[in-house]
Each structure stands twice: as C-alpha cells, then as structure tokens.
Amino acid sequence: HVQLVESGGGSVQAGGSLRLSCAASGLSDNSHCMGWFRQVPGKEHEAVCTIDTDGSIWYADSVNGRFTISKDSTDSTLYLQMNSLRPEDSAVYTCAAELGWCTADYFTDTRDFNYWGQGTQVTVS
C-alpha cells in the first residue's frame, strides 16, 4: 500500500528558497518513479520533475537550474529543493509515485502516476 505525505510548503519572497519533503511508504521494494507536480486554480497539473529507481531525472524547462529533486537512500523520502523562487512558482505542489518499470524522461504526465499525496501550498510574493 503506497502512501505519500508532503510537508515543507509555505510563503517566501521572490528569490528565496524552500525545500519540500514527501514521506513515502510502500515503494522501497519495487521499481518505481516519483515526481513533483504543481497546480494553480483553474489550470491542470503541471509536471515539475521526476526521478526513477536508477536515479535518472527529468525537469520541466521552467524549473531546470533552479529546482533539484532528490530522494534518500531508502526511497522513503522524496525532496524538492526550490531556489530562486518566482511568483509564477506559486502553486499547490504534490508528490506522485508509480510502481513498476518506468523512466523519468517518459513519466511526466499525471496519467502516468497512480499514487498521489495531498499537496502542500507554496506562495511566492
């Protein structure tokens, strides 16, 4: 049974940094992909970045060079380090996971993931 719980959201001024965490259970014994998505009211979820079991990573162009996705050695926590934040980064950020064979480059759509956290708000002003 996969469970995902995010933490670390909040408010920050433009140019600042935040680190999000996603506590995951039910993944460590399986091949899987994990990712961060974000959504603003009235718009669809946007893929931010993904990472697979082998550690390959994909970033959306809008965050490449500013955000860093990582996970701990036991695959129990996923992180998103967000630097040089901009007002347009404001959104609800949600972590997602999918079991089985997958590669970060190809798993970049909400339809690729079956497990989702509850989301955490990030506001940049």
Side-chain angles (χ1 to χ4, degrees), residues 19-88:
R19 189 174 84 152
L20 306 183
S21 299
C22 175
S25 59
L27 295 175
S28 59
D29 294 333
N30 301 280
S31 296
H32 59 269
C33 280
M34 297 187 75
W36 289 98
F37 289 76
R38 64 187 182 187
Q39 188 177 31
V40 297
K43 293 189 176 181
E44 295 185 353
H45 276 98
E46 174 191 9
V48 176
C49 50
T50 59
I51 185 169
D52 61 35
T53 302
D54 294 332
S56 296
I57 292 171
W58 171 88
Y59 291 103
D61 289 343
S62 58
V63 306
N64 197 16
R66 300 187 299 121
F67 291 12
T68 303
I69 187 173
S70 63
K71 54 183 179 176
D72 68 5
S73 59
T74 63
D75 289 348
S76 62
T77 307
L78 181 72
Y79 301 101
L80 181 63
Q81 178 66 43
M82 303 184 292
N83 299 328
S84 302
L85 282 162
R86 305 166 181 169
E88 55 265 37

Side-chain angles (χ1 to χ4, degrees), residues 9 12 18 21 33 61 72 76 94-95 104 106 114-115 122-124:
V12 65
L18 279 175
S21 299
C33 280
D61 289 343
D72 68 5
S76 62
T94 306
C95 70
Y106 288 98
N114 281 310
Y115 303 98
V122 171
T123 303
V124 185

